Amino acid sequence: MMKFIRTLLKPFAAFFEAHAKTHYRLERHSMGLTVGIIIAAGVGGFIEIAPLFTIDDTVEAAPDMRLYTPLEQAGRDIYIREGCYACHSQMIRTLRDEVERYGPYSLAVESQYDHPMLWGSKRTGPDLARLGEKYSDDWHVRHLVNPRDLVPESVMPQYAFLLEAGLDTDSLPDRLAALRAVGVPYTDEMIANADSDALGQAMPDTERSDGVFERYGDETAVRNFDDRPGRLTEMDALVAYLQILGQLTDLPEQTQILPEE
Amino acid sequence: MMSNLTRAERANAMVIAGTGAFIGLVMAAAGRGDPMGAHGWIVLAFCGALFFVVGSAYEDPEPTQDRTASYYDDPTKVGILIALFWAVVGMGMGVWVASQLAWPDLRFDAAWSSFGRIRPVHTSGVIFGFGGNALIATSFHIMQRTCRARMPDQVTPWFVLLGFNLFCIVASSGYLMGVTQSKEYAEPEWYADLWLVVVWVVYFVLYIRTLARRNEPHIYVANWYYLAFILVVAVLHIVNNLAVPASLTGAKSYSAFAGVQDAMTQWWYGHNAVAFFLTSGFLGMLYYFLPKRAERPIYSYRLSILSFWGITFFYIWAGSHHLHYTALPHWVQTLGMTFSVMLLVPSWASAGNALMTLNGAWHKVRDDATLRFMMVAAVFYGLSTFEGSFMAIRPVNGLSHYTDWTVGHVHAGAMGWVALISFGSIYALAPVLWRRETIYSWKAVEWHFWLALAGTVIYVFAMWNSGITQGLMWRTYTESGTLAYSFTDTLVAMHPYYVARTFGGLLFLIGACIGAWNVVMTIRRMPSETPERDYPTSSESREPALPAAE
């Protein structure tokens, strides 16, 4: 028996012996070690990441996938600025309880234009991947002003200052242009009108809002999100973003058979 | 300190600091009305202060002693003190963020004090501020001793140390202003990232140049780990931070990657920040200070080789276990899981090698709290790598992911392994570095040890409980087949654990404060003593043609 095990292990023993001897010589050369480390550490990342860019079915095709409007993108930037991703995921896993709690599991295509993605790593608060249109704008505003007014057990911070902070729309064309540079298909017209469209999305029944429908589609939510007409605040932007979460494409609902209520 | 620099070196330092101050001024002018402008003023103040500190000593007499007769330790001393400063700041922020989860109104009526903004100040403060400075300082010490050679020049190490700290300051002040890329552990924006690349390249060149001057034929194992830390962190940092700024006069940028590719890149980075920042470099520390303190040779040369290359090769694959059951293709998840499990072999080889080295020195572990710090660190390294491999298994991850179990796992590694090995190394290093007889108070070291251990254990147990409880509550069904608990039900169940976690963290913070005080008192109060033979000497090794079998 011992003999059999020894025969079995012999190639491994020989390998480690050769390895130790080679290493004994290698470790006298700093550049040898440098090259060795780069090769050893390079293989795994290359094999796991590179194919994600080349294999087509990594990301599903969703013909109805729409872009974030400038106001929603501004809201997304505020979501990142405040570190919301530290407590809220935007990734529903393929597990029964998650699908029943939050909705259809997330598809890769849904974050196709998310630079960066906000899948998150921790749920101190619930997942937000399908938050859009679950609650009213008014609920969101009141919840953001003081979460414990609506959910007494909540440990979420208050964001009342968003109501007072005017939204910086001047930088929006630059932001959309940068997003186009990394692959989001914004048109020249969308970039040129970004600041006007941000204002228009919160001002229904104006000339500006017509432009938003024209460029981003008839299903765009055009309304005054924070119920304070006349002023575009960061609260408008953030609520507009929260209301679009999970609404960019209908593909998950079309392809997944949901358990009956 | 300035008296050890020649006038030419002082002039060089002033040119570099002056250039930095100018860049700060340009940033302040160009970024008016944007957080970038505030960062410009910070850079200007930092570099301007350095310019005046060096400038005011410019006319002082030049050093006279022979440089080849000693090691250059000034940057190491400053680095250790800065590391201790960041430990107190970073862990203090940690206690604050932890208590906000237990008592959410424990904040100011100001945007900067919300959980989302101060949490990265905690993570970056302890990982980069405390861990990074401890790594840089100890690497300067170790590379010189194990090479029996002095560093090639005296400006480069200062550039690396202070440049890195400028990055840390820009990063943490940025989070408070809302400047973040949202990529965990890679939050700083594009200009801070570019600056870190410059600092890191200089660090690598300094390391290689010191190795090139060595008086020892073989490069000691600690240096392999430091080299892997420097090289791989550079690659990870550059790739994960590829981004296009919205404007060159503003902080905001957009990642080059989106969606699933971005998720994979981020966790390839995130997990290997754990591997090559929080493991590889600290193993370098362990491989030098543990045998030195125990006065025993490393147990096995072959195990060192096996674990080094195993860790370098296997770890890189493991990142995708952060994305189980997500929209990431199944084959990548499976690869990540497989390699994570295999990773246990080199990890335990390292931990075992460290513990076996203590054979014959266990009485020292009993009596010497400094060595006990290192021993317990090796134990926690073994425990948390086992836990990590276990949590990477897909169904286990289904329960643990998104819960506090992950947080507990990270802290078992960060407090139990990274912080304890750093504190042990600092206690071993301080008397040698400042030429003191011994540490100021051995009782304080004992107190620090037990506070740190108790804090870690309380923290980790609290998070295991809360994580597993919450994970199970999320998937509990009633008899009629509906979900039994609402999200808020689970949140209420977390409260006692969040209180316990804050308490554990507070104990750990008190320990760190005691440690910082003890090191300062050692410098100020202890009589000096020059250790024997702590200067470059030629090699004594008579090496065999081939390594002896163990």
Side-chain angles (χ1 to χ4, degrees):
Chain A
M1 185 66 195
M2 281 308 287
K3 205 176 168 192
F4 176 67
I5 291 174
R6 207 162 285 168
T7 324
L8 210 62
L9 287 177
K10 210 169 179 183
F12 294 99
F15 172 77
F16 286 125
E17 195 53 33
H19 187 242
K21 281 177 185 165
T22 317
H23 197 273
Y24 191 72
R25 283 186 282 274
L26 177 72
E27 71 187 31
R28 297 198 219 175
H29 306 284
S30 56
M31 290 322 278
L33 278 174
T34 302
V35 172
I37 289 167
I38 290 177
I39 293 172
V43 178
F46 184 77
I47 291 182
E48 287 188 349
I49 297 176
L52 298 180
F53 289 93
T54 55
I55 299 177
D56 284 340
D57 59 2
T58 301
V59 179
E60 309 82 356
D64 66 336
M65 181 71 187
R66 78 165 187 75
L67 303 177
Y68 293 117
T69 64
L71 188 65
E72 289 153 10
Q73 182 59 44
R76 192 168 198 273
D77 292 346
I78 293 167
Y79 183 98
I80 289 175
R81 184 186 75 193
E82 299 306 329
C84 307
Y85 60 86
C87 295
H88 295 283
S89 57
Q90 292 184 21
M91 172 48 61
I92 301 165
R93 296 179 292 172
T94 52
L95 298 170
R96 178 184 162 196
D97 62 293
E98 299 218 349
V99 172
E100 287 182 14
R101 189 181 297 276
Y102 300 117
Y105 58 81
S106 300
L107 300 180
V109 66
E110 291 180 87
S111 47
Q112 185 183 14
Y113 298 133
D114 287 5
H115 293 266
M117 57 85 209
L118 295 171
W119 292 9
S121 60
K122 175 72 173 64
R123 283 183 188 149
T124 303
D127 187 277
L128 303 183
R130 310 234 174 270
L131 180 69
E133 305 299 345
K134 254 189 196 168
Y135 300 90
S136 67
D137 296 341
D138 181 53
W139 186 92
H140 278 299
V141 173
R142 284 166 50 180
H143 183 252
L144 284 162
V145 167
N146 186 11
R148 278 166 288 290
D149 285 349
L150 299 181
V151 186
E153 304 88 350
S154 170
V155 296
M156 186 171 124
Q158 304 88 337
Y159 292 99
F161 68 92
L162 295 176
L163 267 180
E164 312 304 325
L167 184 72
D168 160 35
T169 51
D170 297 344
S171 65
L172 281 170
D174 280 348
R175 292 182 184 223
L176 262 57
L179 282 164
R180 182 163 73 177
V182 291
V184 185
Y186 285 117
T187 61
D188 290 338
E189 212 188 336
M190 286 169 167
I191 292 171
N193 292 294
D195 43 352
S196 162
D197 285 350
L199 289 164
Q201 196 178 351
M203 279 195 274
D205 307 319
T206 58
E207 244 175 66
R208 282 181 188 221
S209 65
D210 294 344
V212 178
F213 288 125
E214 201 180 299
R215 279 180 281 277
Y216 294 92
D218 291 337
E219 288 186 25
T220 311
V222 172
R223 51 186 192 251
N224 195 285
F225 295 92
D226 69 356
D227 205 23
R228 291 194 178 187
R231 185 150 183 260
L232 189 64
T233 62
E234 294 192 337
M235 187 65 90
D236 281 310
L238 185 58
V239 174
Y241 173 62
L242 295 177
Q243 295 290 30
I244 196 67
L245 287 173
Q247 307 279 313
L248 294 173
T249 167
D250 291 333
L251 193 66
E253 285 82 0
Q254 287 163 6
T255 51
Q256 293 174 37
I257 302 152
L258 288 181
E260 287 182 25
E261 290 293 314
Chain B
M1 211 142 290
M2 229 50 75
S3 62
N4 281 333
L5 298 178
T6 64
R7 212 154 280 170
E9 285 168 340
R10 288 173 207 165
N12 272 344
M14 285 172 75
V15 170
I16 295 169
T19 314
F22 177 72
I23 293 171
L25 194 64
V26 171
M27 281 172 70
R32 278 189 320 278
D34 188 271
M36 187 183 179
H39 273 151
W41 292 113
I42 290 173
V43 174
L44 178 64
F46 187 91
C47 296
L50 283 177
F51 184 84
F52 281 107
V53 169
V54 183
S56 60
Y58 182 72
E59 292 296 333
D60 290 0
E62 292 202 304
T64 49
Q65 86 271 32
D66 175 17
R67 282 195 172 179
T68 53
S70 67
Y71 295 121
Y72 187 47
D73 285 340
D74 289 346
T76 316
K77 291 178 185 169
V78 174
I80 292 293
L81 292 176
I82 297 178
L84 287 168
F85 169 78
W86 276 109
V88 173
V89 172
M91 291 170 195
M93 292 305 270
V95 174
W96 188 19
V97 278
S99 36
Q100 280 196 8
L101 289 184
W103 305 285
D105 290 325
L106 204 68
R107 57 172 293 197
F108 302 103
D109 184 20
W112 66 266
S113 65
S114 72
F115 181 92
R117 290 205 193 180
I118 61 174
R119 183 230 182 213
V121 181
H122 160 60
T123 53
S124 288
V126 290
I127 297 173
F128 299 115
F130 171 52
N133 277 297
L135 284 172
I136 291 175
T138 54
S139 75
F140 287 168
H141 179 84
I142 292 171
M143 70 183 180
Q144 294 186 89
R145 265 65 179 185
T146 54
C147 290
R148 299 170 184 266
R150 189 183 169 101
M151 281 190 273
D153 75 298
Q154 303 198 139
V155 177
T156 321
W158 286 113
F159 179 83
V160 173
L161 180 72
L162 298 172
F164 179 73
N165 278 285
L166 178 60
F167 166 80
C168 293
I169 292 169
V170 168
S172 23
S173 59
Y175 306 147
L176 297 178
M177 293 186 283
V179 178
T180 171
Q181 296 189 101
S182 86
K183 290 182 161 234
E184 281 184 85
Y185 321 114
E187 291 95 343
E189 274 292 358
W190 58 278
Y191 47 83
D193 291 335
L194 285 175
W195 173 242
L196 189 63
V197 172
V198 174
V199 171
W200 221 246
V201 169
V202 175
Y203 187 20
F204 174 69
V205 172
L206 172 68
Y207 214 96
I208 287 291
R209 283 172 72 204
T210 310
L211 289 179
R213 293 159 60 90
R214 71 186 183 280
N215 286 313
E216 188 73 68
H218 290 267
I219 299 172
Y220 181 62
V221 48
N223 294 309
W224 315 344
Y225 280 107
Y226 278 113
L227 213 49
F229 149 64
I230 298 170
L231 283 168
V232 185
V233 166
V235 175
L236 295 167
H237 173 76
I238 292 170
V239 175
N240 191 40
N241 284 303
L242 289 174
V244 174
S247 140
L248 290 176
T249 59
K252 183 73 191 164
S253 72
Y254 293 99
S255 170
F257 310 110
V260 60
Q261 293 92 355
D262 186 43
M264 185 58 225
T265 310
Q266 159 59 22
W267 289 111
W268 164 78
Y269 168 90
H271 198 72
N272 289 297
V274 174
F276 291 91
F277 208 99
L278 294 178
T279 303
S280 189
F282 291 91
L283 279 171
M285 230 184 253
L286 178 88
Y287 267 105
Y288 180 79
F289 286 108
L290 183 119
K292 189 98 177 144
R293 190 75 183 180
E295 297 179 301
R296 304 278 309 160
I298 285 289
Y299 170 68
S300 163
Y301 171 69
R302 279 173 171 72
L303 269 184
S304 311
I305 297 174
L306 176 81
S307 54
F308 174 73
W309 291 104
I311 283 172
T312 309
F313 180 72
F314 287 163
Y315 241 120
I316 285 285
W317 299 77
S320 51
H321 70 223
H322 288 253
L323 301 165
H324 280 320
Y325 299 105
T326 68
L328 181 76
H330 206 255
W331 65 269
V332 196
Q333 301 178 19
T334 308
L335 268 181
M337 171 171 74
T338 314
F339 276 87
S340 303
V341 173
M342 291 198 288
L343 193 53
L344 188 60
V345 175
S347 299
W348 273 25
S350 290
N353 209 5
L355 293 175
M356 296 295 272
T357 300
L358 292 171
N359 272 351
W362 287 101
H363 60 288
K364 289 182 187 163
V365 177
R366 181 193 60 204
D367 297 336
D368 177 8
T370 304
L371 189 56
R372 216 180 308 130
F373 264 110
M374 301 181 201
M375 185 278 284
V376 174
V379 171
F380 267 102
Y381 177 62
L383 289 176
S384 47
T385 46
F386 172 77
E387 189 187 24
S389 294
F390 180 60
M391 289 167 77
I393 299 169
R394 197 182 278 115
V396 182
N397 195 270
L399 179 75
S400 75
H401 196 54
Y402 294 135
T403 75
D404 285 314
W405 190 355
T406 312
V407 182
H409 168 62
V410 171
H411 283 80
M415 295 157 97
W417 152 236
V418 171
L420 291 194
I421 188 67
S422 302
F423 284 128
S425 303
I426 289 173
Y427 286 131
L429 182 56
V432 179
L433 208 49
W434 276 280
R435 308 293 192 219
R436 295 292 183 267
E437 270 178 6
T438 174
I439 209 87
Y440 176 71
S441 164
W442 289 113
K443 264 198 181 146
V445 182
E446 283 287 349
W447 270 95
H448 182 187
F449 173 79
W450 290 109
L451 281 168
L453 185 59
T456 308
V457 170
I458 292 171
Y459 191 111
V460 172
F461 269 88
M463 292 294 92
W464 276 341
N465 275 299
S466 71
I468 295 171
T469 305
Q470 194 170 34
L472 291 175
M473 284 175 86
W474 283 343
R475 55 168 67 173
T476 303
Y477 281 86
T478 59
E479 279 179 16
S480 53
T482 56
L483 290 166
Y485 300 104
S486 73
F487 194 93
T488 21
D489 291 338
T490 70
L491 199 56
V492 173
M494 297 302 100
H495 183 73
Y497 303 118
Y498 284 170
V499 176
R501 177 254 293 270
T502 308
F503 178 67
L506 184 66
L507 293 187
F508 203 88
L509 171 67
I510 295 171
C513 294
I514 293 176
W517 166 81
N518 204 0
V519 170
V520 171
M521 293 308 273
T522 304
I523 302 166
R524 293 178 58 180
R525 292 283 168 82
M526 292 308 282
S528 66
E529 182 190 86
T530 310
E532 278 177 52
R533 311 229 311 143
D534 190 33
Y535 50 85
T537 49
S538 56
S539 174
E540 303 153 348
S541 71
R542 291 176 302 278
E543 52 165 352
L546 287 172
E550 269 128 10

